[in-house]
Amino acid sequence: MWEDKVRKVVPYTPGEQPRINNLIKLNTNENPYPPAPAVRERLKDLKYGDLRLYPDPNCRLLVDALSGYHKVKPSQVFVGVGSDDVLSVAFLTFFNGDVPILFPDITYSFYDVWADLYHIPYEIMPLKADFSIDKNDYLKENGGIVIANPNAPTGLELDVSVIEEIVSKNKDSVVIVDEAYVDFGGTTILPLIDKYENLLVVRTFSKSRNMAGLRIGYAIGSEKLIKYMSDVKFSINSYTMNMPSLELGKLSVEDDEYFKTTCAKVIDTRERTKKALKELNFSFPDSRTNFIFAKYDGPVSRDDIAAELRKRNILVRCFNGERIKDYMRISIGTDEEMRVVIEALKEVLR
Ligand SMILES: *Cc1c(COP(=O)(O)O)cnc(C)c1O
């Protein structure tokens, strides 16, 4: 009867990572460009002998780089093994009440998984028909709020002034703003971090910093929020960040020019892809991210299109929620990759 005592969960399903040659991989919003050049240089002279030592449990190298970059105190920065780790620690730390936390029905599909895992009550707030948030949904009593901005998988951005209103009218709970995609032309709420003690902003190196393989994420908030998260982290695992992540993450932060250039390239390609998709009779919410959440307004089903793309070694992501079962999420690759995708779509829809 030991199984009665097992903590049973329905896990999150990550996008697949198949090993196929010449794959155009547009299913997990990775960046098509490599990490900053300094990262490659440093990789060459990372000392294997140093791996004998535990890494710095306080992650100073990376925390200091991020604190300098965002002009906040080091005590306002929390780093983790991807933003999934950071968000998980934040859920565990801040959502410990009996009143449900709130998040939208169509959003990052990990939020309900953590809530279930940690036995956090939650209430799902349906987005409006155009996939935008109704701010009034977030002005009632709650145990906390999570908003991805821009949202995934819709790509839509909510105006920062609306988020500020939600934060300012919820002083009794923590509001987490997941800014995984903000670097692709969105507006950050970070400048308000010192104004609201209950605001936590979460970021990742996986998309805009081209380093999904290293697993680096971080949060910025008031010193109090970060201290509470740090206490929880040190109660689970002191050494979350490995030595290469600390060293290489810092170098990525230091090369702002490369960062801005590659983000601009992705944005540029995205805008061109929007035009091409429109011409092919696709519709989509106006993306401020490195993906487009597209629906074909014609006689071919989403699943048939995705299957045909796959035959041509092009991978996109399909979700099966009732309201989004006709949409596919297409990550933005290089110009050349997107040209191939558009050609393939023309062929499939002919
Ligand atoms: C990709 C993504 C994450 C997780 O990113 P990692 O840092 O790779 O764990 C978190 N939130 C949203 C909205 C994402 O799209």
Side-chain angles (χ1 to χ4, degrees):
M1 279 332 210
W2 58 268
E3 277 190 296
D4 292 344
K5 303 179 189 100
V6 168
R7 186 184 294 271
K8 297 175 192 79
V9 291
V10 181
Y12 172 78
T13 315
E16 43 174 337
Q17 297 291 125
R19 301 269 156 195
I20 301 172
N21 287 334
N22 303 318
L23 185 68
I24 299 189
K25 191 173 177 305
L26 307 177
N27 67 327
T28 53
N29 298 342
E30 287 140 332
N31 200 299
Y33 304 106
V39 171
R40 177 187 213 139
E41 288 310 303
R42 187 75 188 87
L43 255 182
K44 285 188 211 150
D45 43 62
L46 279 179
K47 302 279 187 302
Y48 98 97
D50 289 354
L51 295 177
R52 158 183 91 73
L53 300 172
Y54 278 110
D56 170 14
N58 296 308
C59 310
R60 292 307 297 210
L61 217 51
L62 185 56
V63 165
D64 288 350
L66 288 166
S67 103
Y69 186 77
H70 289 297
K71 301 187 172 56
V72 296
K73 295 179 197 150
S75 49
Q76 292 183 276
V77 181
F78 177 95
V79 297
V81 188
S83 56
D84 285 342
D85 179 42
V86 175
L87 286 161
S88 157
V89 170
F91 270 58
L92 189 57
T93 308
F94 301 122
F95 303 153
N96 191 32
D98 302 323
V99 184
I101 65 166
L102 311 175
F103 50 83
D105 59 339
I106 304 164
T107 189
Y108 189 38
S109 48
F110 224 136
Y111 300 153
D112 59 340
V113 174
W114 289 311
D116 284 332
L117 176 65
Y118 300 140
H119 298 169
I120 300 163
Y122 60 95
E123 193 178 336
I124 286 174
M125 300 283 114
L127 296 176
K128 292 191 258 185
D130 64 358
F131 292 154
S132 65
I133 277 185
D134 183 346
K135 71 171 184 205
N136 296 313
D137 289 345
Y138 298 86
L139 301 182
K140 62 176 179 185
E141 196 195 356
N142 63 76
I145 291 171
V146 190
I147 291 174
N149 198 46
N151 195 15
T154 65
L156 264 189
E157 180 175 41
L158 178 63
D159 202 277
V160 170
S161 64
V162 179
I163 304 211
E164 178 173 15
E165 188 180 342
I166 291 171
V167 175
S168 70
K169 290 182 172 161
N170 282 287
K171 294 239 165 72
D172 292 333
S173 46
V174 171
V175 179
I176 299 176
V177 182
D178 182 350
E179 291 191 339
Y181 298 103
V182 77
D183 297 318
F184 300 107
T187 305
T188 178
I189 196 161
L190 263 184
L192 300 178
I193 211 79
D194 287 326
K195 194 167 166 191
Y196 300 105
E197 201 178 61
N198 60 325
L199 170 64
L200 188 80
V201 176
V202 178
R203 297 277 189 95
T204 174
F205 280 46
S206 299
K207 281 82 183 221
S208 58
R209 291 197 174 273
N210 328 8
M211 295 172 103
L214 267 188
R215 310 303 299 126
I216 305 175
Y218 60 104
I220 296 184
S222 62
E223 290 182 276
K224 262 194 190 171
L225 289 186
I226 299 304
K227 173 70 167 70
Y228 280 124
M229 283 179 77
S230 183
D231 287 347
V232 168
K233 172 204 130 155
F234 279 100
S235 309
I236 301 174
N237 179 0
S238 312
Y239 305 105
T240 48
M241 307 299 286
N242 61 58
M243 180 269 277
S245 295
L246 296 174
E247 297 258 356
L248 303 176
K250 163 187 179 276
L251 291 171
S252 163
V253 176
E254 284 172 356
D255 194 343
D256 202 36
E257 194 181 321
Y258 183 81
F259 169 67
K260 295 214 162 97
T261 307
T262 48
C263 285
K265 274 207 253 184
V266 170
I267 293 171
D268 197 56
T269 308
R270 175 189 74 205
E271 293 307 310
R272 230 162 314 151
T273 306
K274 282 181 186 171
K275 282 198 195 113
L277 285 174
K278 262 190 198 135
E279 280 166 19
L280 288 175
N281 209 18
F282 280 86
S283 57
F284 41 84
D286 192 26
S287 167
R288 281 285 167 90
T289 60
N290 68 337
F291 58 83
I292 296 172
F293 196 50
K295 175 165 86 65
Y296 179 55
D297 298 316
V300 188
S301 80
R302 189 253 339 236
D303 289 342
D304 286 347
I305 297 173
E308 285 298 323
L309 289 178
R310 194 175 177 117
K311 279 188 204 155
R312 293 163 175 79
N313 261 357
I314 299 166
L315 216 54
V316 298
R317 186 92 184 260
C318 297
F319 297 97
N320 288 322
E322 187 49 38
R323 296 176 72 189
I324 55 175
K325 61 181 180 356
D326 295 330
Y327 288 80
M328 54 190 184
R329 194 189 67 188
I330 308 168
S331 308
I332 301 300
T334 61
D335 269 335
E336 174 58 15
E337 285 175 323
M338 300 321 282
R339 189 190 63 74
V340 173
V341 171
I342 296 297
E343 285 313 308
L345 285 172
K346 280 183 185 158
E347 210 177 281
V348 172
L349 303 173
R350 191 169 46 204

